[in-house]
Amino acid sequence: MKQNYLEELNKSQKDAVLYTEGPSLVIAGAGSGKTRVLTYKIAYLLEQGLAPWNILALTFTNKAAREMKERIASIVGKERAVYLWMGTFHSVFSRILRTESKVLGFTSNFTIYDTSDSRSLIRTIIKEMALDDKLYKPAAVQARISNAKNQLVSPSAYATNKSFFESDSAAKMPAIRDIYRRYWDRCLQAEAMDFDDLLFYTYLLFRDNPDILAKYQDQFKFILVDEYQDTNFAQHCVVQQLAKKHQKLCVVGDDAQSIYSFRGADIDNILQFTKIFEGAKVFKLEQNYRSTQNIVSAANSLIRKNSRQIPKDVFSENEQGNKIQLFQAYSDIEEAEIVAKEIRELNKLHSYDYSDYAILYRTNAQSRVFEEVFRKRAIPYKIYGGLSFYQRKEIKDIISYFRLIVNPSDEEALKRIINYPARGIGATTLSRVAEAASEYNTSYWNIISEPLTFNVDINKGVQRKLKDFVDMMNAFKESLETKNAYEIGVHIIRESGIMADVTQDNSPESMSRKENIEELANGMSEFCNSRLEEGNEDVFLYNFLSEVSLLTDQDNDTEEDFNKVTLMTVHSAKGLEFKNVFVVGLEEKLFPSNMSGDSPRALEEERRLFYVAITRAEENCMLSFSKSRMRYGTLEFGSPSRFIAEIDDSYVKIPSGIALGRRIDEAASSFRKENRERKSPISHPSSSAIPQNQRTLKRVGALPPSRKTNSSPSNLEVGQKVEHERFGVGFVKKLEGDGDNAKASIEFEHAGTKQLLLRFARFKVIE
């Protein structure tokens, strides 16, 4: 056994490790070494004579369990560590369930259904019940059943629960209770459990079989749980069952990092721990080993604004470090340019690798602008835990519609979308189309346009469905030469049924897809506006596709992801650390999310999420917000996030012209008022351009000239300072041409030099 490992701990850590007399709660602040405490506590228990099979350690990821086991093995030896009951809730509970399966009516070889298996079965049940699959979407149904199971609500209890029925009826899915019953029975019949069942059946096993519960209570003489703030009701209840007899339980977590309520996590599990387990001792790990003193102090000043929390005073003995840097951008494009420029500047001053940087944002859709700017600036990047923007399913689906309209012979695009959204054109029909295309040496499009001419063996119902699809696509094609990319793109998104398909429910998954589609519309709008302003009238769908195809080709880069800037959501960043962190998009209705509404509980979780973002930084933390942002293809003006003003300004470097607190809101209000008075003539209707919007969209190229009073050649002079809606502040370097062909070369502070056609210019002279 490794000697003197306890000497590596500070006093708080050591106290937490050595206490084994009863239940304990270890509050582990960000970067405080909680993994070390957990591993050393297990090593200490083994050293005190506890057998490894008498220790149960529950984690949330296989990676965490594996790493902890490896660390313990390095202290006590692999031959002992291998017998520990250590793993995720699901892996440990499935092991118990396979041993005790007969009691529950299963064999020990039961199948575990993953998410796709569950959805497939739910889809089959919906079809068997003759329910409308446009209302009863498998993902939405699965989410409701999963929520019920995580609350330990059985099908029979669900069926008699008034609040569940009212909620389902409000969502136009009153038959959920019947689907749940069928799904439960079918899983039992198929000898299968889904992931939620692994928790639910373990709870039922222990509840209904006291002898079996007693056996495992006696076996697990000490229980440890990692990330306790992320546990849901079912997990919490099973831990209670197992720990009730011996009360030898140690849970580790940080209420300030509870950010997964949308997955069912309940912060009350950790906040109420000492009430549930009477006499529980609380240990606070308050020394942060990750971040500078300034970053830690800034994060502390923010999280103190939450009322529901366990008080703690996190501190750092690292160097004082730089103040948090605050950046104000005129637009989301300038925000990305500022970040790119700052990365370049930091690299000049220090020997950082690109992998030392992380860009954290609230929603996945925000990655698009950063991806495009980073490509232009040759900054290597990777999307952590997800796909780059143009590789996301909903984006590829829409792009496939665009491709097929521009090129009807595009076989891959046709195969992808001919039955999406579902229109009853199945695999059998497609295989017959493929056979005919091969036999007659022609395209799939020609076959589906005239199936009878090519002797395709399909019935009249399928013929009608193919005709409807072809007619819809031909109607889209008619607009190719008369509408710009944004106009036709929004029309296709709406009329194809894609937006309706992704907005059937309000699950996080669907909301993310909706945001990505809206961001694609924003990109198309920006594509049209920027080209016109630069004097390029090639703003049609095929022009947009040419540009996008180059972006998607780069997405297939198979190069190692080692030395690249990481782009990720704040939720994905939990548990990670970087030398330099940029937290972007800090605006009201974005961060905090618009979905938090007026709920104090939801707002406190948003604040915890911001706390998590700041505490990922080791050396430098940069915050940014934008005065304007494209939403639904329209330029909207917003307010800086309230969270910025909640950080003690002694820890923040505030550029001149920016004020925190009430003054920052007044400045934003003034900015919005000014821009309402000079609305961009190139912007689109202010209402959402995508969902059910029947408003006629003007063609970008046909819009009237912009602000002649400010940007016409007679008024504009070399050396003047201008403010652009998207690129920010710049200076006029050169003027040329006259009339409609008049151009200005402007050097912008962050976006570089741009040559802009004055009749479409989106700036005003400010000096």
Side-chain angles (χ1 to χ4, degrees), residues 233-264:
F233 181 67
Q235 290 162 332
H236 172 71
C237 287
V238 176
V239 169
Q240 263 190 288
Q241 289 174 318
L242 288 169
K244 188 174 183 180
K245 183 175 181 180
H246 293 294
Q247 296 281 301
K248 297 294 183 71
L249 169 68
C250 174
V251 304
V252 181
D254 182 6
D255 56 295
Q257 297 185 66
S258 179
I259 59 173
Y260 294 119
S261 66
F262 66 94
R263 293 181 188 168

PDB file of all heavy atoms in Angstrom, residues 233-264:
ATOM      1  N   PHE A 233     -34.827  11.911  -8.013  1.00  0.00           N
ATOM      2  CA  PHE A 233     -35.603  11.388  -6.892  1.00  0.00           C
ATOM      3  C   PHE A 233     -35.394   9.883  -6.724  1.00  0.00           C
ATOM      4  O   PHE A 233     -35.207   9.385  -5.599  1.00  0.00           O
ATOM      5  CB  PHE A 233     -37.088  11.706  -7.098  1.00  0.00           C
ATOM      6  CG  PHE A 233     -37.985  11.240  -5.993  1.00  0.00           C
ATOM      7  CD1 PHE A 233     -37.903  11.811  -4.726  1.00  0.00           C
ATOM      8  CD2 PHE A 233     -38.907  10.225  -6.209  1.00  0.00           C
ATOM      9  CE1 PHE A 233     -38.738  11.373  -3.694  1.00  0.00           C
ATOM     10  CE2 PHE A 233     -39.741   9.792  -5.185  1.00  0.00           C
ATOM     11  CZ  PHE A 233     -39.659  10.363  -3.926  1.00  0.00           C
ATOM     12  N   ALA A 234     -35.415   9.148  -7.835  1.00  0.00           N
ATOM     13  CA  ALA A 234     -35.270   7.691  -7.764  1.00  0.00           C
ATOM     14  C   ALA A 234     -33.908   7.299  -7.203  1.00  0.00           C
ATOM     15  O   ALA A 234     -33.793   6.414  -6.338  1.00  0.00           O
ATOM     16  CB  ALA A 234     -35.467   7.075  -9.156  1.00  0.00           C
ATOM     17  N   GLN A 235     -32.840   7.927  -7.680  1.00  0.00           N
ATOM     18  CA  GLN A 235     -31.496   7.627  -7.190  1.00  0.00           C
ATOM     19  C   GLN A 235     -31.373   7.935  -5.703  1.00  0.00           C
ATOM     20  O   GLN A 235     -30.809   7.142  -4.931  1.00  0.00           O
ATOM     21  CB  GLN A 235     -30.471   8.441  -8.000  1.00  0.00           C
ATOM     22  CG  GLN A 235     -30.341   7.969  -9.438  1.00  0.00           C
ATOM     23  CD  GLN A 235     -29.690   9.001 -10.340  1.00  0.00           C
ATOM     24  OE1 GLN A 235     -29.782  10.210 -10.089  1.00  0.00           O
ATOM     25  NE2 GLN A 235     -29.037   8.552 -11.401  1.00  0.00           N
ATOM     26  N   HIS A 236     -31.907   9.064  -5.314  1.00  0.00           N
ATOM     27  CA  HIS A 236     -31.882   9.479  -3.913  1.00  0.00           C
ATOM     28  C   HIS A 236     -32.595   8.458  -3.028  1.00  0.00           C
ATOM     29  O   HIS A 236     -32.112   8.098  -1.948  1.00  0.00           O
ATOM     30  CB  HIS A 236     -32.541  10.858  -3.799  1.00  0.00           C
ATOM     31  CG  HIS A 236     -32.773  11.337  -2.410  1.00  0.00           C
ATOM     32  ND1 HIS A 236     -31.747  11.739  -1.582  1.00  0.00           N
ATOM     33  CD2 HIS A 236     -33.922  11.488  -1.687  1.00  0.00           C
ATOM     34  CE1 HIS A 236     -32.250  12.120  -0.410  1.00  0.00           C
ATOM     35  NE2 HIS A 236     -33.567  11.979  -0.461  1.00  0.00           N
ATOM     36  N   CYS A 237     -33.740   7.956  -3.497  1.00  0.00           N
ATOM     37  CA  CYS A 237     -34.525   7.005  -2.709  1.00  0.00           C
ATOM     38  C   CYS A 237     -33.812   5.676  -2.531  1.00  0.00           C
ATOM     39  O   CYS A 237     -33.854   5.074  -1.448  1.00  0.00           O
ATOM     40  CB  CYS A 237     -35.896   6.784  -3.352  1.00  0.00           C
ATOM     41  SG  CYS A 237     -37.012   8.189  -3.156  1.00  0.00           S
ATOM     42  N   VAL A 238     -33.154   5.181  -3.587  1.00  0.00           N
ATOM     43  CA  VAL A 238     -32.432   3.914  -3.477  1.00  0.00           C
ATOM     44  C   VAL A 238     -31.243   4.058  -2.528  1.00  0.00           C
ATOM     45  O   VAL A 238     -30.962   3.159  -1.727  1.00  0.00           O
ATOM     46  CB  VAL A 238     -31.976   3.417  -4.869  1.00  0.00           C
ATOM     47  CG1 VAL A 238     -31.138   2.144  -4.735  1.00  0.00           C
ATOM     48  CG2 VAL A 238     -33.176   3.137  -5.766  1.00  0.00           C
ATOM     49  N   VAL A 239     -30.552   5.195  -2.611  1.00  0.00           N
ATOM     50  CA  VAL A 239     -29.441   5.432  -1.676  1.00  0.00           C
ATOM     51  C   VAL A 239     -29.977   5.429  -0.244  1.00  0.00           C
ATOM     52  O   VAL A 239     -29.365   4.837   0.666  1.00  0.00           O
ATOM     53  CB  VAL A 239     -28.743   6.776  -1.994  1.00  0.00           C
ATOM     54  CG1 VAL A 239     -27.776   7.157  -0.870  1.00  0.00           C
ATOM     55  CG2 VAL A 239     -27.981   6.675  -3.314  1.00  0.00           C
ATOM     56  N   GLN A 240     -31.127   6.054  -0.025  1.00  0.00           N
ATOM     57  CA  GLN A 240     -31.754   6.056   1.300  1.00  0.00           C
ATOM     58  C   GLN A 240     -32.053   4.642   1.777  1.00  0.00           C
ATOM     59  O   GLN A 240     -31.797   4.285   2.942  1.00  0.00           O
ATOM     60  CB  GLN A 240     -33.066   6.841   1.252  1.00  0.00           C
ATOM     61  CG  GLN A 240     -32.973   8.279   1.700  1.00  0.00           C
ATOM     62  CD  GLN A 240     -34.348   8.895   1.853  1.00  0.00           C
ATOM     63  OE1 GLN A 240     -35.022   9.168   0.856  1.00  0.00           O
ATOM     64  NE2 GLN A 240     -34.774   9.111   3.070  1.00  0.00           N
ATOM     65  N   GLN A 241     -32.601   3.816   0.891  1.00  0.00           N
ATOM     66  CA  GLN A 241     -32.932   2.434   1.249  1.00  0.00           C
ATOM     67  C   GLN A 241     -31.695   1.676   1.726  1.00  0.00           C
ATOM     68  O   GLN A 241     -31.716   0.992   2.761  1.00  0.00           O
ATOM     69  CB  GLN A 241     -33.550   1.710   0.042  1.00  0.00           C
ATOM     70  CG  GLN A 241     -34.957   2.159  -0.320  1.00  0.00           C
ATOM     71  CD  GLN A 241     -35.437   1.506  -1.614  1.00  0.00           C
ATOM     72  OE1 GLN A 241     -34.688   1.398  -2.591  1.00  0.00           O
ATOM     73  NE2 GLN A 241     -36.690   1.077  -1.638  1.00  0.00           N
ATOM     74  N   LEU A 242     -30.616   1.798   0.951  1.00  0.00           N
ATOM     75  CA  LEU A 242     -29.414   1.037   1.256  1.00  0.00           C
ATOM     76  C   LEU A 242     -28.698   1.532   2.508  1.00  0.00           C
ATOM     77  O   LEU A 242     -28.083   0.750   3.242  1.00  0.00           O
ATOM     78  CB  LEU A 242     -28.461   1.069   0.058  1.00  0.00           C
ATOM     79  CG  LEU A 242     -28.874   0.242  -1.163  1.00  0.00           C
ATOM     80  CD1 LEU A 242     -27.991   0.575  -2.356  1.00  0.00           C
ATOM     81  CD2 LEU A 242     -28.802  -1.246  -0.846  1.00  0.00           C
ATOM     82  N   ALA A 243     -28.760   2.841   2.756  1.00  0.00           N
ATOM     83  CA  ALA A 243     -27.998   3.423   3.865  1.00  0.00           C
ATOM     84  C   ALA A 243     -28.772   3.446   5.179  1.00  0.00           C
ATOM     85  O   ALA A 243     -28.208   3.768   6.233  1.00  0.00           O
ATOM     86  CB  ALA A 243     -27.570   4.841   3.507  1.00  0.00           C
ATOM     87  N   LYS A 244     -30.044   3.106   5.133  1.00  0.00           N
ATOM     88  CA  LYS A 244     -30.906   3.281   6.300  1.00  0.00           C
ATOM     89  C   LYS A 244     -30.418   2.502   7.520  1.00  0.00           C
ATOM     90  O   LYS A 244     -30.478   2.992   8.659  1.00  0.00           O
ATOM     91  CB  LYS A 244     -32.330   2.860   5.945  1.00  0.00           C
ATOM     92  CG  LYS A 244     -33.350   3.191   7.040  1.00  0.00           C
ATOM     93  CD  LYS A 244     -34.758   2.879   6.574  1.00  0.00           C
ATOM     94  CE  LYS A 244     -35.776   3.271   7.647  1.00  0.00           C
ATOM     95  NZ  LYS A 244     -37.162   2.983   7.205  1.00  0.00           N
ATOM     96  N   LYS A 245     -29.912   1.299   7.322  1.00  0.00           N
ATOM     97  CA  LYS A 245     -29.551   0.438   8.458  1.00  0.00           C
ATOM     98  C   LYS A 245     -28.274   0.898   9.153  1.00  0.00           C
ATOM     99  O   LYS A 245     -28.255   1.102  10.368  1.00  0.00           O
ATOM    100  CB  LYS A 245     -29.411  -1.008   7.978  1.00  0.00           C
ATOM    101  CG  LYS A 245     -29.110  -1.991   9.107  1.00  0.00           C
ATOM    102  CD  LYS A 245     -29.093  -3.419   8.586  1.00  0.00           C
ATOM    103  CE  LYS A 245     -28.817  -4.402   9.721  1.00  0.00           C
ATOM    104  NZ  LYS A 245     -28.807  -5.808   9.244  1.00  0.00           N
ATOM    105  N   HIS A 246     -27.199   1.049   8.379  1.00  0.00           N
ATOM    106  CA  HIS A 246     -25.894   1.352   8.988  1.00  0.00           C
ATOM    107  C   HIS A 246     -25.613   2.851   9.082  1.00  0.00           C
ATOM    108  O   HIS A 246     -24.771   3.265   9.879  1.00  0.00           O
ATOM    109  CB  HIS A 246     -24.771   0.675   8.195  1.00  0.00           C
ATOM    110  CG  HIS A 246     -24.803  -0.817   8.269  1.00  0.00           C
ATOM    111  ND1 HIS A 246     -24.590  -1.503   9.435  1.00  0.00           N
ATOM    112  CD2 HIS A 246     -25.032  -1.754   7.312  1.00  0.00           C
ATOM    113  CE1 HIS A 246     -24.680  -2.802   9.198  1.00  0.00           C
ATOM    114  NE2 HIS A 246     -24.957  -2.978   7.923  1.00  0.00           N
ATOM    115  N   GLN A 247     -26.275   3.628   8.221  1.00  0.00           N
ATOM    116  CA  GLN A 247     -26.055   5.082   8.201  1.00  0.00           C
ATOM    117  C   GLN A 247     -24.597   5.432   7.880  1.00  0.00           C
ATOM    118  O   GLN A 247     -24.132   6.520   8.214  1.00  0.00           O
ATOM    119  CB  GLN A 247     -26.456   5.710   9.538  1.00  0.00           C
ATOM    120  CG  GLN A 247     -27.937   5.593   9.868  1.00  0.00           C
ATOM    121  CD  GLN A 247     -28.800   6.604   9.139  1.00  0.00           C
ATOM    122  OE1 GLN A 247     -28.627   7.805   9.256  1.00  0.00           O
ATOM    123  NE2 GLN A 247     -29.752   6.109   8.352  1.00  0.00           N
ATOM    124  N   LYS A 248     -23.892   4.520   7.244  1.00  0.00           N
ATOM    125  CA  LYS A 248     -22.494   4.781   6.863  1.00  0.00           C
ATOM    126  C   LYS A 248     -22.510   5.243   5.401  1.00  0.00           C
ATOM    127  O   LYS A 248     -22.404   4.446   4.466  1.00  0.00           O
ATOM    128  CB  LYS A 248     -21.627   3.523   7.030  1.00  0.00           C
ATOM    129  CG  LYS A 248     -21.522   3.028   8.468  1.00  0.00           C
ATOM    130  CD  LYS A 248     -20.769   4.031   9.326  1.00  0.00           C
ATOM    131  CE  LYS A 248     -20.585   3.543  10.763  1.00  0.00           C
ATOM    132  NZ  LYS A 248     -19.626   2.438  10.876  1.00  0.00           N
ATOM    133  N   LEU A 249     -22.692   6.524   5.246  1.00  0.00           N
ATOM    134  CA  LEU A 249     -22.890   7.106   3.914  1.00  0.00           C
ATOM    135  C   LEU A 249     -22.106   8.403   3.800  1.00  0.00           C
ATOM    136  O   LEU A 249     -22.151   9.238   4.697  1.00  0.00           O
ATOM    137  CB  LEU A 249     -24.384   7.380   3.688  1.00  0.00           C
ATOM    138  CG  LEU A 249     -24.794   8.228   2.479  1.00  0.00           C
ATOM    139  CD1 LEU A 249     -24.501   7.480   1.184  1.00  0.00           C
ATOM    140  CD2 LEU A 249     -26.283   8.592   2.566  1.00  0.00           C
ATOM    141  N   CYS A 250     -21.397   8.559   2.699  1.00  0.00           N
ATOM    142  CA  CYS A 250     -20.686   9.819   2.417  1.00  0.00           C
ATOM    143  C   CYS A 250     -21.066  10.276   1.018  1.00  0.00           C
ATOM    144  O   CYS A 250     -20.800   9.569   0.034  1.00  0.00           O
ATOM    145  CB  CYS A 250     -19.178   9.615   2.520  1.00  0.00           C
ATOM    146  SG  CYS A 250     -18.219  11.068   2.006  1.00  0.00           S
ATOM    147  N   VAL A 251     -21.702  11.426   0.938  1.00  0.00           N
ATOM    148  CA  VAL A 251     -22.029  11.979  -0.381  1.00  0.00           C
ATOM    149  C   VAL A 251     -21.196  13.229  -0.611  1.00  0.00           C
ATOM    150  O   VAL A 251     -20.955  14.008   0.314  1.00  0.00           O
ATOM    151  CB  VAL A 251     -23.542  12.298  -0.525  1.00  0.00           C
ATOM    152  CG1 VAL A 251     -24.368  11.047  -0.248  1.00  0.00           C
ATOM    153  CG2 VAL A 251     -23.977  13.428   0.375  1.00  0.00           C
ATOM    154  N   VAL A 252     -20.752  13.380  -1.830  1.00  0.00           N
ATOM    155  CA  VAL A 252     -19.895  14.501  -2.206  1.00  0.00           C
ATOM    156  C   VAL A 252     -20.574  15.289  -3.321  1.00  0.00           C
ATOM    157  O   VAL A 252     -21.120  14.702  -4.257  1.00  0.00           O
ATOM    158  CB  VAL A 252     -18.513  14.006  -2.680  1.00  0.00           C
ATOM    159  CG1 VAL A 252     -17.620  15.180  -3.055  1.00  0.00           C
ATOM    160  CG2 VAL A 252     -17.854  13.152  -1.607  1.00  0.00           C
ATOM    161  N   GLY A 253     -20.557  16.602  -3.226  1.00  0.00           N
ATOM    162  CA  GLY A 253     -21.162  17.410  -4.286  1.00  0.00           C
ATOM    163  C   GLY A 253     -21.034  18.888  -3.981  1.00  0.00           C
ATOM    164  O   GLY A 253     -20.431  19.288  -2.981  1.00  0.00           O
ATOM    165  N   ASP A 254     -21.607  19.686  -4.859  1.00  0.00           N
ATOM    166  CA  ASP A 254     -21.584  21.139  -4.688  1.00  0.00           C
ATOM    167  C   ASP A 254     -22.919  21.686  -5.161  1.00  0.00           C
ATOM    168  O   ASP A 254     -23.231  21.647  -6.358  1.00  0.00           O
ATOM    169  CB  ASP A 254     -20.437  21.744  -5.502  1.00  0.00           C
ATOM    170  CG  ASP A 254     -20.320  23.258  -5.327  1.00  0.00           C
ATOM    171  OD1 ASP A 254     -21.054  23.818  -4.489  1.00  0.00           O
ATOM    172  OD2 ASP A 254     -19.499  23.883  -6.026  1.00  0.00           O
ATOM    173  N   ASP A 255     -23.708  22.177  -4.221  1.00  0.00           N
ATOM    174  CA  ASP A 255     -25.012  22.720  -4.589  1.00  0.00           C
ATOM    175  C   ASP A 255     -24.883  23.873  -5.571  1.00  0.00           C
ATOM    176  O   ASP A 255     -25.773  24.107  -6.401  1.00  0.00           O
ATOM    177  CB  ASP A 255     -25.768  23.185  -3.344  1.00  0.00           C
ATOM    178  CG  ASP A 255     -24.973  24.208  -2.542  1.00  0.00           C
ATOM    179  OD1 ASP A 255     -23.913  23.862  -2.010  1.00  0.00           O
ATOM    180  OD2 ASP A 255     -25.411  25.387  -2.475  1.00  0.00           O
ATOM    181  N   ALA A 256     -23.740  24.587  -5.531  1.00  0.00           N
ATOM    182  CA  ALA A 256     -23.532  25.720  -6.444  1.00  0.00           C
ATOM    183  C   ALA A 256     -23.323  25.271  -7.880  1.00  0.00           C
ATOM    184  O   ALA A 256     -23.301  26.095  -8.792  1.00  0.00           O
ATOM    185  CB  ALA A 256     -22.328  26.550  -5.983  1.00  0.00           C
ATOM    186  N   GLN A 257     -23.161  23.948  -8.091  1.00  0.00           N
ATOM    187  CA  GLN A 257     -22.973  23.429  -9.444  1.00  0.00           C
ATOM    188  C   GLN A 257     -24.110  22.490  -9.859  1.00  0.00           C
ATOM    189  O   GLN A 257     -23.931  21.635 -10.718  1.00  0.00           O
ATOM    190  CB  GLN A 257     -21.624  22.711  -9.549  1.00  0.00           C
ATOM    191  CG  GLN A 257     -20.438  23.636  -9.314  1.00  0.00           C
ATOM    192  CD  GLN A 257     -19.109  22.942  -9.534  1.00  0.00           C
ATOM    193  OE1 GLN A 257     -18.764  22.540 -10.653  1.00  0.00           O
ATOM    194  NE2 GLN A 257     -18.329  22.786  -8.478  1.00  0.00           N
ATOM    195  N   SER A 258     -25.273  22.682  -9.251  1.00  0.00           N
ATOM    196  CA  SER A 258     -26.448  21.893  -9.625  1.00  0.00           C
ATOM    197  C   SER A 258     -27.115  22.548 -10.831  1.00  0.00           C
ATOM    198  O   SER A 258     -27.787  23.578 -10.694  1.00  0.00           O
ATOM    199  CB  SER A 258     -27.430  21.819  -8.448  1.00  0.00           C
ATOM    200  OG  SER A 258     -28.575  21.080  -8.808  1.00  0.00           O
ATOM    201  N   ILE A 259     -26.918  21.955 -12.020  1.00  0.00           N
ATOM    202  CA  ILE A 259     -27.356  22.622 -13.256  1.00  0.00           C
ATOM    203  C   ILE A 259     -28.136  21.693 -14.194  1.00  0.00           C
ATOM    204  O   ILE A 259     -28.347  22.016 -15.356  1.00  0.00           O
ATOM    205  CB  ILE A 259     -26.138  23.199 -14.028  1.00  0.00           C
ATOM    206  CG1 ILE A 259     -25.140  22.097 -14.379  1.00  0.00           C
ATOM    207  CG2 ILE A 259     -25.476  24.303 -13.216  1.00  0.00           C
ATOM    208  CD1 ILE A 259     -23.997  22.532 -15.275  1.00  0.00           C
ATOM    209  N   TYR A 260     -28.580  20.541 -13.671  1.00  0.00           N
ATOM    210  CA  TYR A 260     -29.209  19.561 -14.559  1.00  0.00           C
ATOM    211  C   TYR A 260     -30.659  19.262 -14.200  1.00  0.00           C
ATOM    212  O   TYR A 260     -31.111  18.132 -14.334  1.00  0.00           O
ATOM    213  CB  TYR A 260     -28.401  18.259 -14.561  1.00  0.00           C
ATOM    214  CG  TYR A 260     -27.023  18.378 -15.162  1.00  0.00           C
ATOM    215  CD1 TYR A 260     -25.891  18.114 -14.393  1.00  0.00           C
ATOM    216  CD2 TYR A 260     -26.858  18.749 -16.493  1.00  0.00           C
ATOM    217  CE1 TYR A 260     -24.616  18.225 -14.943  1.00  0.00           C
ATOM    218  CE2 TYR A 260     -25.598  18.869 -17.047  1.00  0.00           C
ATOM    219  CZ  TYR A 260     -24.479  18.604 -16.264  1.00  0.00           C
ATOM    220  OH  TYR A 260     -23.226  18.706 -16.827  1.00  0.00           O
ATOM    221  N   SER A 261     -31.414  20.259 -13.787  1.00  0.00           N
ATOM    222  CA  SER A 261     -32.816  20.000 -13.435  1.00  0.00           C
ATOM    223  C   SER A 261     -33.598  19.497 -14.644  1.00  0.00           C
ATOM    224  O   SER A 261     -34.550  18.730 -14.493  1.00  0.00           O
ATOM    225  CB  SER A 261     -33.470  21.263 -12.879  1.00  0.00           C
ATOM    226  OG  SER A 261     -33.558  22.261 -13.871  1.00  0.00           O
ATOM    227  N   PHE A 262     -33.183  19.896 -15.855  1.00  0.00           N
ATOM    228  CA  PHE A 262     -33.900  19.456 -17.054  1.00  0.00           C
ATOM    229  C   PHE A 262     -33.733  17.951 -17.280  1.00  0.00           C
ATOM    230  O   PHE A 262     -34.486  17.343 -18.039  1.00  0.00           O
ATOM    231  CB  PHE A 262     -33.435  20.243 -18.289  1.00  0.00           C
ATOM    232  CG  PHE A 262     -32.006  20.000 -18.699  1.00  0.00           C
ATOM    233  CD1 PHE A 262     -31.693  19.042 -19.652  1.00  0.00           C
ATOM    234  CD2 PHE A 262     -30.980  20.733 -18.125  1.00  0.00           C
ATOM    235  CE1 PHE A 262     -30.376  18.825 -20.027  1.00  0.00           C
ATOM    236  CE2 PHE A 262     -29.657  20.518 -18.495  1.00  0.00           C
ATOM    237  CZ  PHE A 262     -29.353  19.557 -19.447  1.00  0.00           C
ATOM    238  N   ARG A 263     -32.772  17.335 -16.614  1.00  0.00           N
ATOM    239  CA  ARG A 263     -32.612  15.882 -16.675  1.00  0.00           C
ATOM    240  C   ARG A 263     -33.238  15.193 -15.468  1.00  0.00           C
ATOM    241  O   ARG A 263     -33.114  13.988 -15.301  1.00  0.00           O
ATOM    242  CB  ARG A 263     -31.123  15.512 -16.706  1.00  0.00           C
ATOM    243  CG  ARG A 263     -30.384  15.935 -17.960  1.00  0.00           C
ATOM    244  CD  ARG A 263     -28.941  15.478 -17.856  1.00  0.00           C
ATOM    245  NE  ARG A 263     -28.118  15.997 -18.941  1.00  0.00           N
ATOM    246  CZ  ARG A 263     -26.790  15.936 -18.964  1.00  0.00           C
ATOM    247  NH1 ARG A 263     -26.147  15.367 -17.940  1.00  0.00           N
ATOM    248  NH2 ARG A 263     -26.103  16.428 -19.971  1.00  0.00           N
ATOM    249  N   GLY A 264     -33.876  15.952 -14.616  1.00  0.00           N
ATOM    250  CA  GLY A 264     -34.516  15.374 -13.445  1.00  0.00           C
ATOM    251  C   GLY A 264     -33.753  15.546 -12.151  1.00  0.00           C
ATOM    252  O   GLY A 264     -34.222  15.137 -11.083  1.00  0.00           O
TER     253      GLY A 264
END
